[in-house]
């Protein structure tokens, strides 16, 4: 029995992996198509406006831009599968080397933000759900609603105004990191970018946890536990938090995906050398290989986070864990 169910879970995992790979493949098609409709000629952007038509045509031929689009896409995809991420059209540097350090920088930002916002959201949401309609709950709803109405760029700018200008001047408003420099070596420079990401995700995740906690508190088994005289601490720990965990896991997966996408705006505001600023610079310079690779990294992160959320949901839910699919 257990072996059969274990086998079905493995089959489900394989299906989810294949589905994730299909999503990334579809994103690669969309990203490739989107880069082709960007205004401007990448060859002319590299050579400058004074370049002769002959030199532009020669560079287009060298880069393979004169071939049919389907041939360009298949060649690009084949190179990625073999580990060749291509070469930047602007710097002529391998894309892997160009985005390597910046991927680490963005990952540092996302991991630190997630390590703060996930437990904080669970604590705030659970406390608000336990004290429903009391002062803390009402204050939490007002604050989170206000934060939800603010785009990340506005939150980041407000943080800069409050803590990096004439108001307080406590923290640096821009991040100054050289190539290959460890961002953790300058922790003060990370405070405001991390705070902007945390404040952008906290309202969504804490309200999700609050709603889940309220739903569990209103369930029949919690009422029975209370009628039996089970202490409120035990009810919260054994019944409420454990059953509110599934929505929190799914919400955390989406929050991580949101953080990964949110670094584009936050990095631009704080001049943080990560994938977000790399993407913006590549779009401005029509650097197609860099644009395509950064977008694929973001898509892969989104798929991985959602897959991990689904796997953890199955693991912590007995009904799903033992269901023969």
């Amino acid at each position: 029995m257990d072996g059969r169910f274990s086998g079905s879970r493995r089959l489900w995992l394989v299906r989810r992996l294949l589905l994730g790979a299909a999503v990334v493949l579809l994103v690669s098609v969309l990203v490739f198509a989107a880069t082709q409709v960007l205004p401007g000629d990448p060859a002319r952007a590299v050579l400058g406006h004074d370049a002769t038509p002959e030199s532009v045509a020669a560079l287009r031929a060298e880069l393979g831009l004169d071939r049919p689009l389907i041939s360009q896409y298949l060649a690009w995809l084949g190179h990625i599968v073999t580990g060749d991420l291509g070469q930047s059209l602007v710097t002529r540097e391998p894309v892997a080397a160009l985005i390597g350090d910046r991927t680490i920088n963005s990952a540092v930002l996302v991991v630190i933000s997630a390590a703060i916002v996930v437990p904080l959201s669970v604590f705030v949401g659970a406390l608000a759900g336990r004290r429903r309609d009391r002062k803390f709950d009402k204050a939490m709803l007002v604050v989170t609603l206000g934060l939800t109405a603010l785009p990340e760029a506005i939150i980041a700018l407000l943080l800069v105004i409050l803590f990096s200008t004439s108001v307080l001047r406590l923290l640096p408003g821009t991040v100054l990191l050289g190539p290959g420099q460890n961002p953790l070596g300058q922790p003060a420079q990370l405070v405001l970018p991390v705070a902007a990401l945390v404040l952008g995700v906290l309202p969504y995740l804490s309200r999700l946890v609050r709603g889940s906690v309220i739903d569990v508190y209103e369930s029949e088994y919690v009422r029975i536990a209370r009628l039996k005289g089970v202490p409120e601490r035990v009810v919260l720990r054994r019944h409420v938090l454990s059953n509110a965990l599934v929505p929190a896991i799914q919400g955390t997966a989406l929050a991580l995906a949101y953080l990964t996408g949110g670094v584009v705006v936050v990095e631009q505001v704080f001049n943080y050398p990560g994938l977000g600023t790399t993407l913006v610079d590549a779009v401005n310079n029509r650097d197609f290989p860099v644009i395509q690779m950064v977008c694929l990294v973001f898509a892969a992160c989104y798929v991985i986070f959602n897959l991990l959320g689904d796997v953890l949901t199955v693991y912590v839910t007995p009904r799903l864990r033992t269901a023969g699919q």
Side-chain angles (χ1 to χ4, degrees), residues 20-44:
V23 170
V24 174
L25 182 63
L26 177 61
V27 169
S28 73
V29 174
L30 295 176
V31 169
F32 185 85
T35 55
Q36 303 307 311
V37 300
L38 284 174
D41 185 350
R44 185 165 292 279

Side-chain angles (χ1 to χ4, degrees), residues 134-154:
R134 298 182 186 177
K135 289 183 179 180
F136 180 84
D137 182 37
K138 293 179 180 179
M140 175 263 195
L141 291 176
V142 171
V143 172
T144 55
L145 183 62
L147 289 173
T148 303
L150 295 176
E152 279 188 340
I154 301 300

